Structures are given as C-alpha cells and as structure tokens.
Amino acid sequence: MVPHFPLSRLALSSGLRAALPVLLGIVPFGVITGVAMVASGIPPLEAMAMSVIVFAGASMMACAQLLSQGTPVLLIVLATLFINLRFMMYSASLRLHLAHLPLGWRLLVAYLQADNVYGLTLARFSEQSLSLEEKLGYFLGGGVPIWLAWQAAVLAGVLIGTGVPASWHLEFAGPLAFIAMTIPLLRDRAMVAAALAAGLVVIATAALPLRLNVMLAAMVGIGAGLFFDRYKTR
C-alpha cells in the first residue's frame, strides 16, 4: 500500500500538460506493439498481462519477435535484460531527486518509469529548484497518463490483431516499430556506430543456433558505442 504523502496539485497539472504531446507518439507505438504481440502468437490475455506487468515497449516487442521465432526462454530473458539495463541508469539519476520518498512511493515511481517519463521529469528537475512534494507530483502528473495511454493503446492493438487474419502476416510490425524507435536516437557518432555494428553482426551471424546472433549483436553494439563515446570524450 502506498503511504500518504502530500502532493502538489500545481505540479500534478504541470506534469500532465508536459505529457500530453508525448501521448501522440505513445499511442501508435502501443497499438503496433499490441498487434505485433498477437501476431507473434501470444494470446490476448497474456499480451495484456505482459503490458501491465512489464510496461516496457521495446522489451515487449523484442520478446514477441523472439517468441515467434521459437527462441529458448533463457535467451529471451537475457535479451530483455540487456534492453532494459538503461532503467538502472535512469534509477540512479532519479535517486538524487526522489531518494527520500517513502518506500511505497519509490516502488510506484520505479513501476511507472519509462523513457519518455524519465526525459520529462529529469528536464524539469534540472531546470527548477523543486521540493520533494513537487517533484513527486510532477512525476505522477506525467507518468500516470502515459501509463494509461499505453495500456489503452496496447489493448486496442491486441483487439485489432485478434481480428486480422493470420494470412496478413503482421509480424513485420515489430521490426518496423524498432526502426521507428531507433532512427530518432541516432544523434551522434557513438549511437550511429552502435546501431551499425549491431546491425551488421546480427545479419552476419544469422546462422547461429538459438538466436545467439541477437545476444552477440547487442554486446558488439554496446562495445562499439562505448568505444566511440570514449574516443569523442578524449
């Protein structure tokens, strides 16, 4: 149970206003994710349970793709772990602002954490000097509507996917969504190097068993990105 903690209504409304433009990108991605999960063979109820429990679009999409290809469960777990490692960095930076919250609120913040929520909150926290109550209010003001929009969009995608004949082969929605997510992130040399290295490796090692090429490509991509990032720093 989340303990009582005073929230700033002004901060809540401010977070909500900041989140509204983000919803325009969340809704189509959520719909595509729902369609892709059903198209990959995940039953509708399990797909929605994954959406509520996991609440991480990139790893959900990767899981759907790997499941559709018969990848062993252990490799799926490792792949999603690699994808979600960024949340550890998000948590470390937000701890500087929210570490003194009661445990229940910190668990709720951890659950609602997402890429767009993190971007909104960290930008606001660095711009203004806010109290702990205002920081929590702003986070919830942005995080809760984003969570609701995501779940509604995934549900819509699941319903659409269940009504589409299997002969339409909507599995392509997964790779398309990943491409759409990746391109805006290619803003510097390190990111481009990581994407190119991972892409080349995953294609060159496609013959490896058990979809090991995905894990190998992830490690090579991370290594290439770190190398170019350190080179730029020097």
Side-chain angles (χ1 to χ4, degrees):
M1 182 176 179
V2 177
H4 174 72
F5 190 82
L7 295 175
S8 167
R9 292 186 179 181
L10 182 60
L12 282 168
S13 61
S14 180
L16 173 59
R17 289 194 302 271
L20 290 178
V22 177
L23 302 183
L24 297 177
I26 289 176
V27 170
F29 180 44
V31 172
I32 292 174
T33 301
V35 171
M37 287 198 297
V38 173
S40 67
I42 301 175
L45 286 179
E46 283 83 344
M48 281 309 304
M50 183 187 296
S51 178
V52 173
I53 295 171
V54 177
F55 185 45
S59 58
M60 289 167 56
M61 190 73 76
C63 180
Q65 287 294 111
L66 294 173
L67 281 173
S68 67
Q69 297 166 1
T71 306
V73 174
L74 178 59
L75 290 183
I76 295 176
V77 172
L78 289 176
T80 53
L81 176 63
F82 272 107
I83 293 171
N84 288 334
L85 280 177
R86 67 192 188 281
F87 289 111
M88 294 181 65
M89 295 183 289
Y90 295 172
S91 175
S93 63
L94 283 180
R95 180 177 174 79
L96 300 175
H97 301 279
L98 304 174
H100 297 293
L101 286 172
L103 177 61
W105 283 114
R106 279 185 281 142
L107 291 175
L108 180 60
V109 167
Y111 172 69
L112 291 175
Q113 188 60 264
D115 296 312
N116 32 46
V117 181
Y118 173 75
L120 289 174
T121 53
L122 196 65
R124 181 59 179 266
F125 293 171
S126 61
E127 290 173 357
Q128 298 183 13
S129 178
L130 304 175
S131 66
L132 184 59
E133 293 81 4
E134 290 172 326
K135 289 179 178 179
L136 177 61
Y138 187 85
F139 180 93
L140 295 178
V144 171
I146 286 175
W147 184 88
L148 291 173
W150 172 259
Q151 303 303 339
V154 171
L155 176 60
V158 167
L159 295 177
I160 293 171
T162 55
V164 173
S167 59
W168 286 24
H169 297 290
L170 292 180
E171 294 86 351
F172 71 91
L176 285 181
F178 272 123
I179 292 172
M181 290 169 55
T182 302
I183 290 177
L185 298 176
L186 305 180
R187 296 188 294 265
D188 58 34
R189 184 177 299 177
M191 293 180 179
V192 173
L196 287 177
L200 290 174
V201 171
V202 79
I203 294 173
T205 59
L208 290 176
L210 303 177
R211 305 297 297 173
L212 290 173
N213 62 320
V214 175
M215 300 298 301
L216 181 60
M219 290 187 288
V220 172
I222 292 172
L226 289 174
F227 174 80
F228 275 88
D229 185 63
R230 290 182 179 179
Y231 178 80
K232 179 183 66 175
T233 302
R234 291 180 182 176

